[in-house]
């Protein structure tokens, strides 16, 4: 009988897109202790050569589907020859108490941390999943150039992209975000997630907080952030100026663009996704 490897994946869907393939796969995550879906866009170039890889992290309530169906990313991934990986945003179906009670905690709201608190700790380890397990699964199954990686995301996923890149100098060559939660320790979404997943000790939160992390790192990867000024979450949850101030204090290169009239939705993301691909492609040598 054949044994299942930790990197084994099964195909969920397979669709032709811009001469490449938008695929979805399923695998058993040993880090999260559950089945997980993830999207992979394979550009036409991947048929004959290895390609750089871009990781996209989605926001609250999302699955792997939101980005691949709404952002319009495939045309740019095909143009630049980039493989794009889009994981789900949390473990699912773990039957934990409270897992399905609110849209900003539990299912759809993994917050890219390693939970230390019950009942979450055995499953809610999205930080290790994105930093370690998923890249191993991707490298074992797809023609990626693992030394040419970028990361980007939206809202909770924008925070995740910033936190993960800032915590892992050298792992990524490019980084950007749409409407990220830049200071999770200081805003209600982040405080609720961190209190539940990490406990009441706020000193355990700042190790995931981009506004704090940017002051610790010596790597100075240029960051592109787009933020709509009609975003319904701007003043209470996102507050990009806090991050701009922290970056200015340590001379971290940040391009923060305020986009007039744009809200928090994927209509906003789709409007500027091409600019983000151009930003990543330049840094990834495409
Ligand atoms: N459920 C919330 C909104 C949640 C929300 O806006 N989620 C964003 C990320 S923070 C998203 O990407 N939603 C999925 C989508 O627009 O496809 C509400 O109704 O106010």
């Amino acid at each position: 009988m054949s044994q299942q490897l930790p990197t084994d994946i099964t195909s969920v869907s397979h669709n032709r897109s811009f001469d490449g393939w938008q695929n979805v796969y399923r695998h058993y995550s040993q880090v999260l202790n559950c089945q997980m879906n993830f999207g992979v866009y394979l550009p036409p170039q991947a048929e004959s050569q290895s390609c750089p890889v871009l990781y996209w992290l989605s926001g609250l309530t999302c699955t792997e589907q939101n980005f691949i169906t709404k952002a319009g990313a495939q045309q740019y991934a095909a143009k630049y020859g980039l493989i794009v990986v889009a994981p789900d945003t949390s473990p699912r179906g773990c039957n934990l108490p409270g897992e399905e009670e609110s849209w900003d905690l539990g299912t759809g709201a993994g917050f890219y941390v390693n939970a230390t608190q019950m009942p979450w700790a055995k499953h809610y380890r999205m930080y290790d999943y994105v930093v370690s397990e998923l890249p191993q699964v991707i490298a074992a199954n797809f023609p990626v150039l693992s030394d040419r990686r970028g990361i980007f995301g939206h809202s909770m996923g924008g925070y995740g992209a910033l936190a993960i890149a800032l915590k892992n100098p050298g792992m990524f060559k490019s980084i950007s975000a749409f409407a990220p939660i830049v200071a999770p320790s200081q805003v209600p979404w982040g405080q609720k997630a961190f209190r539940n997943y990490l406990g009441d000790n706020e000193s355990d939160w700042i190790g995931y907080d981009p506004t704090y992390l940017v002051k610790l790192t010596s790597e100075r990867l240029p960051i592109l952030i787009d933020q709509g000024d009609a975003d319904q979450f701007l003043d209470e949850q996102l507050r990009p100026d806090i991050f701009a101030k922290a970056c200015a204090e340590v001379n971290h290169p940040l391009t923060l663009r305020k986009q007039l009239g744009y809200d928090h939705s994927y209509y906003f993301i789709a409007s500027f996704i091409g600019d983000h691909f151009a930003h990543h492609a330049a840094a990834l040598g495409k």
Side-chain angles (χ1 to χ4, degrees):
M1 206 174 88
S2 69
Q3 223 189 341
Q4 216 187 358
L5 299 172
T7 50
D8 281 352
I9 59 175
T10 56
S11 173
V12 173
S13 62
H14 185 58
N15 294 95
R16 196 79 166 137
S17 181
F18 291 93
D19 291 334
W21 293 96
Q22 178 60 63
N23 299 339
V24 174
Y25 300 92
R26 192 163 178 78
H27 75 132
Y28 185 81
S29 163
Q30 310 215 329
V31 166
L32 305 175
N33 288 299
C34 67
Q35 296 282 341
M36 291 291 285
N37 282 4
F38 59 88
V40 177
Y41 179 73
L42 294 169
Q45 295 86 337
E47 275 169 33
S48 56
Q49 58 189 261
S50 295
C51 298
V53 56
L54 252 182
Y55 284 82
W56 169 267
L57 304 181
S58 285
L60 291 164
T61 74
C62 291
T63 68
E64 82 291 347
Q65 288 292 321
N66 300 70
F67 178 73
I68 67 176
T69 57
K70 291 181 166 183
Q74 290 86 357
Q75 60 186 302
Y76 301 107
K79 173 178 168 187
Y80 295 112
L82 300 175
I83 292 175
V84 184
V85 178
D88 200 346
T89 57
S90 75
R92 279 176 201 270
C94 299
N95 295 318
L96 304 178
E99 194 181 14
E100 305 292 340
E101 266 164 32
S102 48
W103 59 269
D104 53 3
L105 188 74
T107 299
F111 256 88
Y112 307 103
V113 298
N114 290 335
T116 55
Q117 305 298 299
M118 295 304 285
W120 312 103
K122 185 165 168 246
H123 298 280
Y124 278 67
R125 303 182 58 81
M126 287 298 290
Y127 177 81
D128 277 355
Y129 181 67
V130 172
V131 170
S132 302
E133 187 178 30
L134 188 57
Q136 283 171 33
V137 170
I138 296 300
N141 289 284
F142 304 99
V144 290
L145 296 164
S146 291
D147 61 340
R148 282 156 73 185
R149 259 194 282 234
I151 190 164
F152 61 161
H154 172 224
S155 195
M156 174 183 74
Y159 136 74
L162 294 172
I164 285 171
L166 292 168
K167 274 170 91 68
N168 294 279
M171 186 170 175
F172 300 97
K173 296 237 174 330
S174 59
I175 172 171
S176 75
F178 292 85
I181 306 167
V182 293
S185 306
Q186 300 182 51
V187 302
W189 274 344
Q191 289 168 337
K192 178 175 177 180
F194 285 178
R195 184 161 288 116
N196 280 276
Y197 295 143
L198 304 174
D200 290 331
N201 190 346
E202 293 182 22
S203 61
D204 293 332
W205 303 0
I206 54 179
Y208 289 105
D209 190 320
T211 296
Y212 179 78
L213 292 166
V214 77
K215 296 183 186 171
L216 292 187
T217 185
S218 55
E219 185 180 66
R220 295 286 166 227
L221 267 189
I223 297 173
L224 169 64
I225 293 180
D226 272 318
Q227 175 63 62
D229 80 338
D231 186 320
Q232 58 273 41
F233 300 114
L234 177 57
D235 294 334
E236 194 185 7
Q237 308 283 6
L238 306 175
R239 303 178 60 188
D241 297 346
I242 300 179
F243 189 62
K245 184 164 171 277
C247 287
E249 278 171 28
V250 293
N251 276 323
H252 193 103
L254 168 69
T255 303
L256 170 58
R257 308 192 308 186
K258 296 237 164 132
Q259 304 293 5
L260 298 187
Y262 286 87
D263 62 19
H264 198 63
S265 70
Y266 268 85
Y267 294 109
F268 158 60
I269 295 172
S271 303
F272 299 103
I273 194 80
D275 291 355
H276 285 243
F277 268 89
H279 167 81
H280 288 276
L284 294 169
K286 295 305 280 185

